[in-house]
Amino acid sequence: MDFNNKKNYLFNLGAVIIFFVILKLLMNGNVINRYYQGIIVFICINIIVAGSLNLTLGFLGQLALGHAGFMAVGAYSSALLSIYLRSLELPVIMHLGTALLFGGLISGIIGYLIGLPALRLRGDYLAIITLGFGEIIRVVINNLKFTGGAQGLSGIPKIANFTNAYWIAVVVLAFLYALIRSRHGRAIISIREDEIAAEAVGIDTVKYKALGFTISAFFAGIGGGLFAHYMAYLDPSIFNFMKSVEIVVIVVLGGMGSLTGTILASAVLTSLPELLRNFSEYRLLIYSFVLVVMMIFRPQGIFGTAEFSLKNLMSSPKGFMKKMKRDASGDDLNGGGK
Amino acid sequence: MALLEVNGLTIKFGGLTAVDGFNINIEQNELVGLIGPNGAGKTTVFNMLTGVYLPTEGTINLDGKSVVGKKPYDIVEMGAARTFQNIRLFKELTVEDNVKIAYHNQMNYNLMQGLFRLPAFWKEESVAKENAMDLLDIFDMKMYANTLAKNLPYGKQRKLEIARALATKPKILMLDEPAAGMNPYETKELMETIHFIRDKFGIAILLIEHDMSLVMGICEKITVIDYGKIIARGVPEEIKSDPNVIKAYLGE
Ligand SMILES: Nc1ncnc2c1ncn2[C@@H]1O[C@H](COP(=O)(O)OP(=O)(O)OP(=O)(O)O)[C@@H](O)[C@H]1O
Ligand SMILES: [Mg+2]
């Protein structure tokens, strides 16, 4: 089983490389032009941010409404460090890597500090605190000098591109998958399932709520940092409440507790508004409509808690479809095991 | 020194004294019953023993250490595991994962070792998987390993909850009306399982039951409470003929 799993990892890595090469070839052949390339970068960023929110929303089972706030923290702190690093003339990988890690770290620390008091209590306090945090952070950035205030922050090295955005998204997803399939991830999921039962089998629920939320904020910060280095310009109004809602919608649409769903929903919900630019005024309307329709017809999201697995698909397409259907609908078609 | 020593345990909810001066001693490997009519305070006793409620007064010592004021997860580590009257499983997870979660504290790999899939991760995960499968096998549930907990038949859900509690390696297992909602056949089977667990794992068991006749068959000692107070204690024969118990169960 051990060996099988490692083989599985290589298999997935192969698929991810092949997909990358295909995209790259299409870009070189200009089938995917610069404009579409930009959309793909935004999809990668949204996968990172929405994936991180899914950890809180889908796996930990806590509502958080200020994820744009953590993006903002990551974006500004990594951008500020990056501007400072510029004079060192580091290789791009090191420069971007250091800046993003710094952004993630600051975001994670702030996530821990604001999350802990809310997570000590049972109930939806996190939703309220994060909602407030998202607004406050924007006002703070607006009024500080070194963040550029309302005029925005420019001069950020534009060193993010399709290639590094793609691979950073892959790495973040790999970590999220690795997390949820470890003892720490299971502890986090057990809290979503039943907090009292989790404590009754020895899980320190406050600790694991804090851990889950901190990691969630960390990756949101990385996503924000990537955004900053792609845009090369930041202004606080980008990270408004609507942005937080957008991220929540991606997670809900894809399926709370399914990273595969998050990837798909990020792709759809990022490209649709871009492709339908003419309807941009109706964006809010469309989001609300999508959410309402989802809640009525498919409250568990497109994927439910199902995950796509290449290896299972290849080795047994029928069994794979059965399992996907089961997890997506939340029913158990197997009934009594295999 | 008994494994579990409880003295003067009392809890008040506002004006209501739900449990009043409860005491009990349980030795290693003993199977003890706690019975009483509806609302007598049985579950409340469990909730105090497992750290869900903080007693207003009284002492609880497990293996010589006080558990009063400790968190439920600390008490689990000290060696007391429980099940719930209204089953609390991790419903959307598989049977295997339900058990594996309970192994959490017996694994040691840290977050980084897990995220980077270092050898410690692989080693401990495969041990946990083996242990989980062995445990499920004991309960004849190995074939359900990949079934979602919520899709198990009712009787199996009860069994899974017991298996999950056992996975924490307790010294004492507390079962809150494990036979509730079962048919007579399932009940009989369950009582045999409980007896078997006690012998196989060599642990003490404290069993809450509502229905007197059930516990009579398997418990060595029985404590009866009514309105939060102990009204009788003894071996099954004594309890059966105790006038206070008969009065409590049949009314005046
Ligand atoms: N959190 C609480 N707040 C207020 N009253 C409570 C609380 N928990 C229990 N009680 C009361 O304590 C009394 C004992 O309840 P408990 O659930 O322990 O009874 P029980 O013996 O388990 O009954 P049953 O056989 O119905 O399960 C009841 O009167 C109940 O209403
Ligand atoms: Mg009860």
Side-chain angles (χ1 to χ4, degrees), chain A residues 294-305:
Chain A
M294 283 304 279
M295 286 304 116
I296 293 171
F297 293 104
R298 206 172 160 74
Q300 70 270 50
I302 296 173
F303 273 72
T305 59

Side-chain angles (χ1 to χ4, degrees), chain A residues 9 183 193-194 202 330 332, chain B residues 88 92 105 109 117 150-151:
Chain A
Y9 291 162
R183 75 183 183 106
E193 290 294 304
D194 191 324
D332 190 347
Chain B
R88 283 180 174 273
E92 303 289 335
N105 288 329
Y109 69 82
R117 293 295 190 252
K150 67 172 180 186
N151 292 324

Side-chain angles (χ1 to χ4, degrees), chain B residues 41-85:
Chain B
K42 305 179 294 293
T43 301
T44 306
V45 167
F46 263 33
N47 282 339
M48 287 188 281
L49 297 181
T50 54
V52 177
Y53 291 160
L54 186 69
T56 315
E57 263 173 66
T59 60
I60 306 166
N61 287 321
L62 178 63
D63 228 2
K65 287 187 215 96
S66 172
V67 308
V68 175
K70 292 244 160 56
K71 294 276 183 195
Y73 49 81
D74 288 326
I75 297 174
V76 176
E77 284 222 65
M78 293 168 70
R82 73 173 292 182
T83 63
F84 296 88
Q85 186 166 352

Side-chain angles (χ1 to χ4, degrees), chain B residues 36-170:
Chain B
N38 266 326
K42 305 179 294 293
T43 301
T44 306
V45 167
F46 263 33
N47 282 339
M48 287 188 281
L49 297 181
T50 54
V52 177
Y53 291 160
L54 186 69
T56 315
E57 263 173 66
T59 60
I60 306 166
N61 287 321
L62 178 63
D63 228 2
K65 287 187 215 96
S66 172
V67 308
V68 175
K70 292 244 160 56
K71 294 276 183 195
Y73 49 81
D74 288 326
I75 297 174
V76 176
E77 284 222 65
M78 293 168 70
R82 73 173 292 182
T83 63
F84 296 88
Q85 186 166 352
N86 39 357
I87 312 179
R88 283 180 174 273
L89 288 172
F90 305 125
K91 290 201 193 82
E92 303 289 335
L93 303 184
T94 63
V95 168
E96 182 185 328
D97 277 342
N98 266 270
V99 176
K100 271 191 185 165
I101 289 169
Y103 283 122
H104 181 82
N105 288 329
Q106 290 158 56
M107 300 196 214
N108 291 312
Y109 69 82
N110 62 34
L111 185 65
M112 290 302 149
Q113 285 170 320
L115 286 181
F116 289 94
R117 293 295 190 252
L118 299 183
F121 168 86
W122 295 108
K123 216 176 92 201
E124 290 180 31
E125 282 291 326
S126 80
V127 170
K129 169 139 189 148
E130 256 170 57
N131 288 345
M133 287 303 163
D134 289 348
L135 190 60
L136 288 175
D137 207 21
I138 291 173
F139 287 87
D140 257 337
M141 288 185 61
K142 212 169 159 178
M143 71 271 212
Y144 293 106
N146 293 315
T147 306
L148 298 186
K150 67 172 180 186
N151 292 324
L152 286 175
Y154 185 78
K156 302 274 187 238
Q157 293 196 3
R158 286 268 176 213
K159 271 191 172 177
L160 174 58
E161 207 190 13
I162 297 174
R164 188 182 68 183
L166 284 170
T168 66
K169 294 232 163 69

Side-chain angles (χ1 to χ4, degrees), chain B residues 12-31:
Chain B
K12 295 186 174 128
F13 297 114
L16 173 84
T17 306
V19 174
D20 191 359
F22 180 84
N23 58 297
I24 198 166
N25 277 350
I26 300 177
E27 303 289 340
Q28 253 137 34
N29 211 12
E30 223 176 10
L31 211 172

Side-chain angles (χ1 to χ4, degrees), chain B residues 197-215:
Chain B
I197 291 168
R198 195 268 300 261
D199 296 340
K200 164 102 187 164
F201 293 87
I203 57 175
I205 295 179
L206 176 57
L207 174 66
I208 288 185
E209 251 315 328
H210 178 85
D211 183 345
M212 239 199 321
S213 59
L214 286 178
V215 264

